[in-house]
Amino acid sequence: MRMLLPKQKKSQTGKGNRLLISITVIGSAGPIRFVVNEEDIVSGVIVTALKTYAREGRLPILGSDINNFLLYCSLAGTDALNPSMTIGSIGVRNFMLCKKPQTEKTNTDEQQKHEVSSSSSRKGNGSWKAWLNKSLNLKVSSH
């Protein structure tokens, strides 16, 4: 007869504490939640978020190139997090994952207005800041 021993917890020395984080993707239904070590770097968290997102079959399809994405803190500041900083140094657990804005060629005013209105109707393109600015600009210019 075998005797079951209780599972022993792994030593956390050198690995830091584990955190349950929540990452919201603009245009997707509900946040992604997973556990990370507080010593994990932001770029590694972005990789894990993209893999989890794809594994769950979420829409819109994002791709897997981490260089196309920025991670923002949901509560404080408007600057993207530095990809080389540790996720635990921020002190929060809620984040937003956004695609980097694409650089546009200079166009005439009519072409730019058309691009702004069409890009604001697509979900998942650009950062949440750009989306908010475009939305506010459309409301102001429609008087």
Side-chain angles (χ1 to χ4, degrees), residues 3-52:
M3 184 176 198
L4 296 175
L5 298 174
K7 290 185 180 180
Q8 294 181 358
K9 293 183 179 179
K10 294 181 182 177
S11 172
Q12 291 193 7
T13 55
K15 293 245 181 182
N17 293 326
R18 295 173 60 105
L19 306 171
L20 175 64
I21 63 170
S22 177
I23 298 180
T24 301
V25 177
I26 300 296
S28 180
I32 301 167
R33 291 183 180 93
F34 55 92
V35 176
V36 296
N37 287 319
E38 67 180 1
E39 300 299 321
D40 289 348
I41 59 172
V42 169
S43 61
V45 172
I46 293 173
V47 168
T48 303
L50 291 173
K51 286 180 181 178
T52 303

Side-chain angles (χ1 to χ4, degrees), residues 8 23 46 50 57-59 61 70 74 83 86 93 95 99 106 114 128 130 135:
Q8 294 181 358
I23 298 180
I46 293 173
L50 291 173
R58 292 180 178 234
L59 295 174
I61 296 173
L70 298 170
S74 293
T86 60
R93 296 179 184 200
F95 302 94
K99 274 194 171 182
T106 56
H114 177 68
W128 64 273
S135 297

Side-chain angles (χ1 to χ4, degrees), residues 129-140:
K129 293 186 300 183
W131 174 84
L132 182 62
N133 286 334
K134 288 178 184 178
S135 297
L136 291 175
N137 287 338
L138 289 175
K139 289 179 182 174
V140 171

Side-chain angles (χ1 to χ4, degrees), residues 67-132:
N67 296 316
N68 293 336
F69 295 92
L70 298 170
L71 191 66
Y72 293 89
C73 174
S74 293
L75 303 175
T78 58
D79 294 331
L81 301 176
N82 182 336
S84 62
M85 70 188 305
T86 60
I87 198 74
S89 67
I90 302 156
V92 297
R93 296 179 184 200
N94 296 313
F95 302 94
M96 293 182 70
L97 183 66
C98 302
K99 274 194 171 182
K100 287 183 181 177
Q102 297 177 358
T103 57
E104 296 182 22
K105 298 176 185 175
T106 56
N107 297 318
T108 64
D109 288 339
E110 287 300 316
Q111 288 174 330
Q112 287 177 346
K113 286 180 185 177
H114 177 68
E115 287 177 5
V116 168
S117 64
S118 65
S119 67
S120 65
S121 65
R122 289 178 282 174
K123 294 182 179 179
N125 289 342
S127 70
W128 64 273
K129 293 186 300 183
W131 174 84
L132 182 62

